[in-house]
């Protein structure tokens, strides 16, 4: 298993921090991509952050009222090694399938 | 060169294209003191292990690239290395491949052995100027006084359903550039040993990792007893026909060989490994025995490395060949989107058809 840390993104244009209002997931919880993670308030608005990926939540940073700086860790997920951060998908190992049969005769020297 | 160029000048120019063993920077080798054993590792794990050992053994070795540090690489090849060796030796770069290679050239000049990563094959294009005009030439240009010990890792080839620029095969582009060496491993054991070998050479090596094979596991003998990183290797012996392949196509050709055996055709599979320099003698030795050859690669047909392989075989085995060397390759189009890649990359049936054409001595 691999751990992937997700930092607080810039939720507006040029914001430097956000304040946690309420965590919507708990450590140990398995979440799907886009599942609501946390409600935070910035100087512009209060927003709900969706999960950037599926995985098990192993750590969350900050409780209600705490301020987190943009770029600092927000949450850490645990994911299987072979899906960690990959672009594309892992090819499946399949038994070879064929439609072509070889028919050519060999010569005397074979 | 002046009008008084002599043959020895030309020979010196050729000599200076590649570094000599004497140019290998001396390093204090840390005695590993490892109890060696055969382990089952994925290619990703084998590469990670090799990099860790190279960083451990050579204090001048550096790993750099996009996301190789904090993230550990998009394929986790450099996972944990920054934590283990620090941000001075394993570091993230800006998203600028020309800068990654330019920085590597400067580091090599200063006595380091950079191991840059270009995150995907198709991202190597912005670095081509640095690769061709600096990496490949600096030793030649300096009359052999400035070797470029750079090991450029490039996750390569297709097969993972990724978007554009993530499935390309650039081996013939690199192999055409004087001064570069090009190698591609086909198994976890090959990946481990070839990367350790490449990362201790004084010459620039383009290390093409078959990304679709990163997760397949296999035995890795870290002892290196009896292992030779030079030349090609026969991965399956056969007597009727030689399949020549590299990277991810080696595993597919082994599958094809098993299927051909059901039809009474005994296929030899040759893993070319080094795409430059190509092991012409190894090719010739195999084809002299089997008298037939099919070369398989993912890259487009025209000016693909298969043409070079076919020429080398023909030059050496013309008298014994039973049929022209057949090429089974990708097509002369940009690498397609994931939905179409099974039609583009040589599949089992297309390779079997290639074998059939050679057996019948029938032109494609």
């Amino acid at each position: 298993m691999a751990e992937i840390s997700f930092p607080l993104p810039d939720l507006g244009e040029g914001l430097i921090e956000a304040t946690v209002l309420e965590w919507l997931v708990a450590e140990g919880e398995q979440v799907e991509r886009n599942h609501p993670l946390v409600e935070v308030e910035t100087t512009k608005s209060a927003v709900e952050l969706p999960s950037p990926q599926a995985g098990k939540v192993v750590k969350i940073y900050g409780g209600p009222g705490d301020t987190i700086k943009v770029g600092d860790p927000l949450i850490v997920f645990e994911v299987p090694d072979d899906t960690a951060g990959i672009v594309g998908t892992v090819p499946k190992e399949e038994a070879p399938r064929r439609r072509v049969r070889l028919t050519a005769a060999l010569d005397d020297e074979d | 060169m002046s009008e008084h160029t002599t043959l020895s000048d030309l020979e010196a120019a050729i000599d200076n294209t590649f570094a000599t063993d004497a140019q290998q920077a001396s390093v204090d080798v840390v005695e590993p003191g490892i109890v060696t054993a055969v382990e089952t590792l994925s290619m990703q794990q084998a590469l990670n292990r090799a990099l860790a050992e190279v960083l451990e053994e050579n204090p001048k070795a550096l790993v750099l690239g996009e996301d190789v540090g904090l993230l550990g690489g998009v394929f986790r090849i450099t996972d944990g290395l920054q934590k283990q060796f620090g941000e001075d030796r394993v570091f993230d770069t800006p998203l600028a491949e020309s800068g990654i290679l330019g920085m590597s050239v400067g580091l090599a000049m200063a006595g380091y052995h950079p191991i840059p990563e270009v995150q995907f094959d198709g991202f190597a294009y912005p670095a081509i100027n640095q690769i061709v005009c600096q990496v490949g030439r600096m030793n030649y240009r300096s009359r052999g006084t400035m070797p470029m010990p750079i090991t450029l890792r490039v996750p390569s080839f297709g097969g993972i359903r990724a978007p554009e620029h993530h499935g390309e095969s650039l081996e013939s582009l690199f192999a055409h550039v004087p001064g570069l060496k090009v190698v591609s491993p086909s198994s976890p054991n090959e990946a481990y040993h070839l990367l350790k070998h490449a990362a201790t050479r004084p010459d620039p090596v383009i290390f093409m990792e078959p990304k679709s094979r990163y997760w397949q596991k296999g035995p890795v003998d870290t002892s290196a007893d009896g292992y030779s990183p030079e030349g090609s290797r026969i991965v399956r012996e056969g007597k009727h026909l030689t399949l020549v392949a590299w990277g991810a196509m080696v595993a597919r050709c082994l599958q094809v060989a098993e299927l051909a055996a059901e039809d009474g055709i005994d296929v030899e599979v040759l893993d070319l490994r080094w795409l430059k320099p190509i092991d012409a003698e190894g090719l010739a030795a195999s084809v002299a025995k089997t008298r037939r050859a099919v070369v398989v690669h993912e890259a487009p047909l025209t000016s693909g490395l298969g043409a070079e392989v076919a020429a080398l075989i023909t030059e050496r085995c013309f008298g014994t060949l039973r049929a022209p060397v057949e090429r089974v390759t990708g097509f002369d189009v940009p690498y397609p989107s994931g939905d179409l890649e099974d039609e583009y990359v040589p599949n089992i049936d297309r390779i079997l058809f290639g074998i059939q054409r050679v057996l019948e001595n029938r032109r494609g």
Side-chain angles (χ1 to χ4, degrees), chain B residues 120-149:
Chain B
F120 283 92
D121 34 66
F123 302 168
Y125 298 126
I128 288 291
N129 181 59
Q130 292 285 1
I131 294 170
V132 175
C133 298
Q134 313 294 346
V135 177
R137 287 187 196 182
M138 199 54 79
N139 198 52
Y140 167 85
R141 189 182 285 144
S142 64
R143 292 188 163 231
T145 61
M146 203 173 280
M148 286 281 111

mmCIF file of all heavy atoms in Angstrom, chain B residues 120-149:
data_model
loop_
_atom_site.group_PDB
_atom_site.id
_atom_site.type_symbol
_atom_site.label_atom_id
_atom_site.label_comp_id
_atom_site.label_asym_id
_atom_site.label_seq_id
_atom_site.Cartn_x
_atom_site.Cartn_y
_atom_site.Cartn_z
ATOM 1 N N PHE B 120 7.121 10.984 -19.311
ATOM 2 C CA PHE B 120 6.557 10.107 -20.337
ATOM 3 C C PHE B 120 7.309 10.323 -21.637
ATOM 4 O O PHE B 120 7.806 11.426 -21.914
ATOM 5 C CB PHE B 120 5.069 10.406 -20.573
ATOM 6 C CG PHE B 120 4.179 9.854 -19.510
ATOM 7 C CD1 PHE B 120 3.825 10.618 -18.420
ATOM 8 C CD2 PHE B 120 3.714 8.549 -19.587
ATOM 9 C CE1 PHE B 120 3.017 10.104 -17.424
ATOM 10 C CE2 PHE B 120 2.905 8.027 -18.592
ATOM 11 C CZ PHE B 120 2.551 8.810 -17.510
ATOM 12 N N ASP B 121 7.346 9.236 -22.451
ATOM 13 C CA ASP B 121 7.984 9.262 -23.760
ATOM 14 C C ASP B 121 7.706 10.542 -24.554
ATOM 15 O O ASP B 121 8.617 11.206 -25.026
ATOM 16 C CB ASP B 121 7.517 8.049 -24.575
ATOM 17 C CG ASP B 121 6.070 7.697 -24.253
ATOM 18 O OD1 ASP B 121 5.186 8.505 -24.561
ATOM 19 O OD2 ASP B 121 5.831 6.620 -23.663
ATOM 20 N N GLY B 122 6.424 10.894 -24.673
ATOM 21 C CA GLY B 122 6.058 12.028 -25.514
ATOM 22 C C GLY B 122 6.492 13.362 -24.944
ATOM 23 O O GLY B 122 6.428 14.384 -25.637
ATOM 24 N N PHE B 123 6.947 13.368 -23.684
ATOM 25 C CA PHE B 123 7.443 14.610 -23.099
ATOM 26 C C PHE B 123 8.936 14.796 -23.374
ATOM 27 O O PHE B 123 9.545 15.766 -22.922
ATOM 28 C CB PHE B 123 7.212 14.656 -21.584
ATOM 29 C CG PHE B 123 5.773 14.513 -21.173
ATOM 30 C CD1 PHE B 123 5.438 14.290 -19.844
ATOM 31 C CD2 PHE B 123 4.756 14.609 -22.092
ATOM 32 C CE1 PHE B 123 4.112 14.155 -19.455
ATOM 33 C CE2 PHE B 123 3.432 14.477 -21.722
ATOM 34 C CZ PHE B 123 3.108 14.255 -20.395
ATOM 35 N N ALA B 124 9.543 13.841 -24.073
ATOM 36 C CA ALA B 124 10.965 13.977 -24.405
ATOM 37 C C ALA B 124 11.161 14.971 -25.549
ATOM 38 O O ALA B 124 12.245 15.523 -25.700
ATOM 39 C CB ALA B 124 11.566 12.624 -24.800
ATOM 40 N N TYR B 125 10.103 15.221 -26.332
ATOM 41 C CA TYR B 125 10.276 16.103 -27.499
ATOM 42 C C TYR B 125 10.798 17.494 -27.118
ATOM 43 O O TYR B 125 11.674 18.019 -27.811
ATOM 44 C CB TYR B 125 8.964 16.222 -28.278
ATOM 45 C CG TYR B 125 8.469 14.905 -28.838
ATOM 46 C CD1 TYR B 125 7.193 14.446 -28.575
ATOM 47 C CD2 TYR B 125 9.292 14.111 -29.632
ATOM 48 C CE1 TYR B 125 6.737 13.231 -29.086
ATOM 49 C CE2 TYR B 125 8.849 12.899 -30.144
ATOM 50 C CZ TYR B 125 7.565 12.463 -29.867
ATOM 51 O OH TYR B 125 7.127 11.274 -30.359
ATOM 52 N N PRO B 126 10.290 18.117 -26.061
ATOM 53 C CA PRO B 126 10.845 19.438 -25.735
ATOM 54 C C PRO B 126 12.318 19.395 -25.327
ATOM 55 O O PRO B 126 12.963 20.435 -25.263
ATOM 56 C CB PRO B 126 9.981 19.909 -24.551
ATOM 57 C CG PRO B 126 8.753 19.080 -24.615
ATOM 58 C CD PRO B 126 9.178 17.765 -25.179
ATOM 59 N N ALA B 127 12.845 18.206 -25.038
ATOM 60 C CA ALA B 127 14.244 18.093 -24.606
ATOM 61 C C ALA B 127 15.160 17.621 -25.730
ATOM 62 O O ALA B 127 16.346 17.419 -25.517
ATOM 63 C CB ALA B 127 14.354 17.120 -23.435
ATOM 64 N N ILE B 128 14.587 17.437 -26.923
ATOM 65 C CA ILE B 128 15.376 16.839 -28.010
ATOM 66 C C ILE B 128 16.624 17.671 -28.326
ATOM 67 O O ILE B 128 17.701 17.132 -28.568
ATOM 68 C CB ILE B 128 14.503 16.660 -29.282
ATOM 69 C CG1 ILE B 128 13.499 15.519 -29.058
ATOM 70 C CG2 ILE B 128 15.358 16.394 -30.507
ATOM 71 C CD1 ILE B 128 14.108 14.145 -28.977
ATOM 72 N N ASN B 129 16.488 18.982 -28.309
ATOM 73 C CA ASN B 129 17.658 19.803 -28.626
ATOM 74 C C ASN B 129 18.799 19.542 -27.650
ATOM 75 O O ASN B 129 19.954 19.363 -28.053
ATOM 76 C CB ASN B 129 17.279 21.286 -28.617
ATOM 77 C CG ASN B 129 18.470 22.161 -28.966
ATOM 78 O OD1 ASN B 129 19.045 22.009 -30.040
ATOM 79 N ND2 ASN B 129 18.854 23.048 -28.065
ATOM 80 N N GLN B 130 18.472 19.492 -26.358
ATOM 81 C CA GLN B 130 19.514 19.220 -25.364
ATOM 82 C C GLN B 130 20.092 17.813 -25.555
ATOM 83 O O GLN B 130 21.297 17.602 -25.443
ATOM 84 C CB GLN B 130 18.934 19.334 -23.940
ATOM 85 C CG GLN B 130 18.531 20.744 -23.550
ATOM 86 C CD GLN B 130 19.723 21.639 -23.246
ATOM 87 O OE1 GLN B 130 20.862 21.213 -23.340
ATOM 88 N NE2 GLN B 130 19.452 22.879 -22.899
ATOM 89 N N ILE B 131 19.199 16.838 -25.820
ATOM 90 C CA ILE B 131 19.655 15.453 -25.947
ATOM 91 C C ILE B 131 20.578 15.292 -27.151
ATOM 92 O O ILE B 131 21.640 14.670 -27.076
ATOM 93 C CB ILE B 131 18.440 14.499 -26.053
ATOM 94 C CG1 ILE B 131 17.643 14.514 -24.743
ATOM 95 C CG2 ILE B 131 18.890 13.084 -26.399
ATOM 96 C CD1 ILE B 131 16.303 13.802 -24.823
ATOM 97 N N VAL B 132 20.179 15.872 -28.280
ATOM 98 C CA VAL B 132 20.958 15.696 -29.514
ATOM 99 C C VAL B 132 22.219 16.564 -29.498
ATOM 100 O O VAL B 132 23.317 16.087 -29.786
ATOM 101 C CB VAL B 132 20.098 16.051 -30.752
ATOM 102 C CG1 VAL B 132 20.931 15.981 -32.025
ATOM 103 C CG2 VAL B 132 18.899 15.110 -30.844
ATOM 104 N N CYS B 133 22.049 17.843 -29.160
ATOM 105 C CA CYS B 133 23.138 18.798 -29.364
ATOM 106 C C CYS B 133 24.092 18.903 -28.180
ATOM 107 O O CYS B 133 25.189 19.423 -28.321
ATOM 108 C CB CYS B 133 22.574 20.181 -29.691
ATOM 109 S SG CYS B 133 21.615 20.184 -31.205
ATOM 110 N N GLN B 134 23.677 18.457 -27.002
ATOM 111 C CA GLN B 134 24.569 18.542 -25.846
ATOM 112 C C GLN B 134 24.902 17.144 -25.301
ATOM 113 O O GLN B 134 26.067 16.767 -25.241
ATOM 114 C CB GLN B 134 23.922 19.373 -24.719
ATOM 115 C CG GLN B 134 23.318 20.691 -25.170
ATOM 116 C CD GLN B 134 24.341 21.701 -25.672
ATOM 117 O OE1 GLN B 134 25.524 21.550 -25.470
ATOM 118 N NE2 GLN B 134 23.864 22.725 -26.349
ATOM 119 N N VAL B 135 23.867 16.408 -24.913
ATOM 120 C CA VAL B 135 24.112 15.114 -24.268
ATOM 121 C C VAL B 135 24.912 14.190 -25.180
ATOM 122 O O VAL B 135 25.903 13.592 -24.778
ATOM 123 C CB VAL B 135 22.774 14.446 -23.861
ATOM 124 C CG1 VAL B 135 23.024 13.068 -23.259
ATOM 125 C CG2 VAL B 135 22.019 15.327 -22.878
ATOM 126 N N GLY B 136 24.475 14.104 -26.443
ATOM 127 C CA GLY B 136 25.115 13.159 -27.355
ATOM 128 C C GLY B 136 26.476 13.615 -27.858
ATOM 129 O O GLY B 136 27.271 12.808 -28.324
ATOM 130 N N ARG B 137 26.750 14.923 -27.801
ATOM 131 C CA ARG B 137 27.933 15.436 -28.499
ATOM 132 C C ARG B 137 29.051 15.973 -27.622
ATOM 133 O O ARG B 137 30.126 16.264 -28.124
ATOM 134 C CB ARG B 137 27.517 16.594 -29.411
ATOM 135 C CG ARG B 137 26.763 16.127 -30.600
ATOM 136 C CD ARG B 137 26.517 17.255 -31.543
ATOM 137 N NE ARG B 137 25.467 16.856 -32.479
ATOM 138 C CZ ARG B 137 25.029 17.600 -33.457
ATOM 139 N NH1 ARG B 137 25.539 18.794 -33.646
ATOM 140 N NH2 ARG B 137 24.087 17.175 -34.257
ATOM 141 N N MET B 138 28.768 16.190 -26.351
ATOM 142 C CA MET B 138 29.738 16.951 -25.572
ATOM 143 C C MET B 138 31.090 16.244 -25.491
ATOM 144 O O MET B 138 32.142 16.891 -25.552
ATOM 145 C CB MET B 138 29.185 17.198 -24.165
ATOM 146 C CG MET B 138 29.855 18.326 -23.431
ATOM 147 S SD MET B 138 29.861 19.883 -24.335
ATOM 148 C CE MET B 138 28.199 20.440 -24.019
ATOM 149 N N ASN B 139 31.083 14.925 -25.397
ATOM 150 C CA ASN B 139 32.352 14.205 -25.326
ATOM 151 C C ASN B 139 33.115 14.342 -26.644
ATOM 152 O O ASN B 139 34.319 14.596 -26.666
ATOM 153 C CB ASN B 139 32.116 12.733 -25.004
ATOM 154 C CG ASN B 139 33.378 12.056 -24.508
ATOM 155 O OD1 ASN B 139 34.026 12.538 -23.596
ATOM 156 N ND2 ASN B 139 33.733 10.952 -25.129
ATOM 157 N N TYR B 140 32.381 14.220 -27.749
ATOM 158 C CA TYR B 140 32.979 14.393 -29.079
ATOM 159 C C TYR B 140 33.504 15.815 -29.251
ATOM 160 O O TYR B 140 34.630 16.038 -29.691
ATOM 161 C CB TYR B 140 31.895 14.088 -30.110
ATOM 162 C CG TYR B 140 32.206 14.498 -31.518
ATOM 163 C CD1 TYR B 140 32.930 13.662 -32.361
ATOM 164 C CD2 TYR B 140 31.745 15.707 -32.024
ATOM 165 C CE1 TYR B 140 33.195 14.033 -33.658
ATOM 166 C CE2 TYR B 140 32.010 16.089 -33.311
ATOM 167 C CZ TYR B 140 32.734 15.252 -34.136
ATOM 168 O OH TYR B 140 32.992 15.625 -35.423
ATOM 169 N N ARG B 141 32.663 16.768 -28.863
ATOM 170 C CA ARG B 141 33.006 18.179 -29.074
ATOM 171 C C ARG B 141 34.235 18.594 -28.269
ATOM 172 O O ARG B 141 35.000 19.450 -28.669
ATOM 173 C CB ARG B 141 31.800 19.018 -28.661
ATOM 174 C CG ARG B 141 31.885 20.476 -29.001
ATOM 175 C CD ARG B 141 30.646 21.201 -28.493
ATOM 176 N NE ARG B 141 29.472 20.950 -29.293
ATOM 177 C CZ ARG B 141 28.246 20.845 -28.801
ATOM 178 N NH1 ARG B 141 28.037 20.923 -27.513
ATOM 179 N NH2 ARG B 141 27.225 20.642 -29.594
ATOM 180 N N SER B 142 34.433 17.947 -27.113
ATOM 181 C CA SER B 142 35.545 18.306 -26.240
ATOM 182 C C SER B 142 36.760 17.414 -26.486
ATOM 183 O O SER B 142 37.652 17.354 -25.654
ATOM 184 C CB SER B 142 35.100 18.194 -24.781
ATOM 185 O OG SER B 142 34.780 16.847 -24.478
ATOM 186 N N ARG B 143 36.768 16.717 -27.622
ATOM 187 C CA ARG B 143 37.852 15.783 -27.941
ATOM 188 C C ARG B 143 38.061 14.768 -26.827
ATOM 189 O O ARG B 143 39.182 14.489 -26.401
ATOM 190 C CB ARG B 143 39.154 16.540 -28.214
ATOM 191 C CG ARG B 143 39.079 17.357 -29.485
ATOM 192 C CD ARG B 143 40.416 17.937 -29.850
ATOM 193 N NE ARG B 143 40.384 18.366 -31.250
ATOM 194 C CZ ARG B 143 41.307 18.007 -32.142
ATOM 195 N NH1 ARG B 143 42.301 17.250 -31.791
ATOM 196 N NH2 ARG B 143 41.207 18.426 -33.381
ATOM 197 N N GLY B 144 36.967 14.297 -26.338
ATOM 198 C CA GLY B 144 37.040 13.206 -25.375
ATOM 199 C C GLY B 144 37.408 13.615 -23.977
ATOM 200 O O GLY B 144 37.833 12.788 -23.176
ATOM 201 N N THR B 145 37.246 14.890 -23.651
ATOM 202 C CA THR B 145 37.610 15.312 -22.293
ATOM 203 C C THR B 145 36.383 15.561 -21.416
ATOM 204 O O THR B 145 36.520 15.838 -20.235
ATOM 205 C CB THR B 145 38.439 16.603 -22.324
ATOM 206 O OG1 THR B 145 37.655 17.638 -22.927
ATOM 207 C CG2 THR B 145 39.722 16.411 -23.116
ATOM 208 N N MET B 146 35.192 15.500 -21.993
ATOM 209 C CA MET B 146 34.008 15.838 -21.212
ATOM 210 C C MET B 146 32.904 14.802 -21.430
ATOM 211 O O MET B 146 31.944 15.035 -22.163
ATOM 212 C CB MET B 146 33.519 17.234 -21.602
ATOM 213 C CG MET B 146 32.682 17.915 -20.555
ATOM 214 S SD MET B 146 32.359 19.607 -21.042
ATOM 215 C CE MET B 146 33.904 20.387 -20.559
ATOM 216 N N PRO B 147 33.049 13.640 -20.804
ATOM 217 C CA PRO B 147 32.013 12.620 -20.967
ATOM 218 C C PRO B 147 30.703 13.072 -20.327
ATOM 219 O O PRO B 147 30.690 13.958 -19.474
ATOM 220 C CB PRO B 147 32.596 11.397 -20.256
ATOM 221 C CG PRO B 147 33.562 11.955 -19.278
ATOM 222 C CD PRO B 147 34.111 13.216 -19.889
ATOM 223 N N MET B 148 29.627 12.498 -20.768
ATOM 224 C CA MET B 148 28.294 12.847 -20.273
ATOM 225 C C MET B 148 27.674 11.617 -19.600
ATOM 226 O O MET B 148 26.850 10.925 -20.197
ATOM 227 C CB MET B 148 27.390 13.286 -21.435
ATOM 228 C CG MET B 148 27.681 14.650 -22.001
ATOM 229 S SD MET B 148 27.000 15.990 -20.994
ATOM 230 C CE MET B 148 28.501 16.716 -20.358
ATOM 231 N N PRO B 149 28.069 11.332 -18.359
ATOM 232 C CA PRO B 149 27.476 10.166 -17.685
ATOM 233 C C PRO B 149 26.059 10.493 -17.211
ATOM 234 O O PRO B 149 25.842 10.832 -16.055
ATOM 235 C CB PRO B 149 28.437 9.915 -16.517
ATOM 236 C CG PRO B 149 29.015 11.260 -16.217
ATOM 237 C CD PRO B 149 29.049 12.023 -17.522
#
